[in-house]
Amino acid sequence: MNYQVEFVILCVGQYSDIPNIQEFPAGKGPETFRGKVMHSMEYAAMDFNTAAAFIKGKRITVVGFQKSALDIAMECSTANGALNPCRLLYRTDHWNIPDCCPWKWVFSKFVETYITHKLSLAKFGMVPKQSFHKGGISSCMTSSMPGEFYDRVEKGSIILKKAPKFSFCKEGIVVEGEATPLETDLIILATGFKGDEKLKDIFASHLSKTTTILALSPVVPQLAVIGFTDSLSNLYTEEMISRRLVEFLDGTFKLPSIKEMEKDAERLDKYMKQNSRIDYQRSCTAALHMVQ
């Protein structure tokens, strides 16, 4: 069924629908594992009681080190304790912050010292190589650390395992450079989502790169995308974007030319890349909070 409208606002978000699952060589992917492999999206769809019963008594490996991975590891730890510890497999150390960290009001170096001491990162060999400013705030590669997380690590109900590269085998996971596989019953991939793919599936033509950053598209002037950016305070960012959109629809201002908007996006890219560098993500607008 077709509908004729004057304006379309997409509020689909980027953290749903299309899971980000790494591709592996033949014979080394999830299909090789004799247990179950699932994405965190599938796990999150379960209600509390179903999820608790599902993970009870299993040797579980969670892949990832952002918010979903940390929360799932805590739930597995609660269900199974040190008898069947949850193994958390991650590639890169991140500046995950404790619930009571005053990062908004202090300088980056002080925050690094505070977090390192607060979470005993050096003790577990988890101090990131990149600074908090470049690898945390500016690239949106940080999340709130669940309370008592490292206490669970101390007690043995969560096992941290750094693995820059790995593959699957019948018994579980093989970390590159190690001969002995990590035996497990269930593998949960908390590896995020492919938000960009969702927009590509909606439109036959390519959307301008300015669309998700600036909300309003210079190529499709009757289109706006809301909720497709990352920041350390998403609600405030999206509220500002929504207000800007309302003013545009009320005729308060008009869009500049396509060329001007694309130049604007290039300037934003350049500014954000100078802070985040290798951890740059186009959807991350946290660096802009410095100048707002």
Side-chain angles (χ1 to χ4, degrees), residues 70-287:
L70 300 175
D71 288 343
I72 294 172
M74 289 292 285
E75 291 183 13
C76 295
S77 169
T78 299
N80 297 319
L83 184 63
N84 285 307
C86 175
R87 183 182 290 108
L88 192 62
L89 200 71
Y90 66 99
R91 291 181 176 180
T92 308
D93 301 309
H94 294 300
W95 287 108
N96 292 329
I97 59 178
D99 291 332
C100 56
C101 178
W103 59 266
K104 288 184 179 180
W105 303 279
V106 293
F107 293 102
S108 176
K109 289 298 179 183
F110 179 80
V111 175
E112 291 175 21
T113 303
Y114 174 81
I115 296 174
T116 301
H117 172 73
K118 178 74 175 179
L119 300 180
S120 302
L121 297 185
K123 180 178 181 179
F124 299 107
M126 300 185 69
V127 179
K129 293 181 180 180
Q130 69 276 26
S131 70
F132 178 73
H133 176 61
K134 293 178 180 178
I137 294 177
S138 299
S139 60
C140 295
M141 297 294 286
T142 186
S143 60
S144 178
M145 181 67 68
E148 300 184 356
F149 179 85
Y150 282 103
D151 291 338
R152 304 278 183 99
V153 176
E154 287 269 18
K155 294 175 182 177
S157 60
I158 294 177
I159 298 174
L160 301 173
K161 179 66 177 178
K162 190 171 185 178
K165 292 184 179 181
F166 70 91
S167 59
F168 292 85
C169 64
K170 289 183 179 180
E171 295 81 9
I173 286 176
V174 177
V175 176
E176 186 176 88
E178 297 184 8
T180 306
L182 304 177
E183 296 184 5
T184 188
D185 301 316
L186 170 65
I187 299 172
I188 302 177
L189 303 175
T191 49
F193 297 86
K194 294 181 178 179
D196 291 344
E197 294 294 326
K198 186 158 38 176
L199 290 184
K200 290 178 182 178
D201 289 344
I202 294 176
F203 296 95
S205 59
H206 175 67
L207 278 179
S208 168
K209 66 182 180 179
T210 64
T211 303
T212 56
I213 298 178
L214 303 179
L216 294 166
S217 171
V219 179
V220 188
Q222 296 83 22
L223 169 72
V225 180
I226 302 294
F228 222 80
T229 58
D230 285 326
S231 74
L232 298 178
S233 52
N234 282 41
L235 291 177
Y236 299 112
T237 302
E238 297 308 326
E239 182 181 5
M240 292 171 63
I241 292 175
S242 298
R243 289 183 176 181
R244 180 173 182 263
L245 176 59
V246 169
E247 291 180 359
F248 171 70
L249 294 174
D250 280 344
T252 305
F253 67 91
K254 294 183 179 180
L255 290 180
S257 67
I258 294 177
K259 190 173 182 180
E260 286 180 280
M261 291 188 75
E262 289 182 340
K263 283 184 177 180
D264 228 7
E266 288 176 5
R267 286 195 292 269
L268 284 174
D269 272 356
K270 184 177 180 181
Y271 174 77
M272 291 189 287
K273 283 178 179 177
Q274 75 182 16
N275 291 292
S276 54
R277 297 183 184 179
I278 62 173
D279 294 315
Y280 167 71
Q281 297 184 83
R282 183 177 304 284
S283 61
C284 181
T285 60

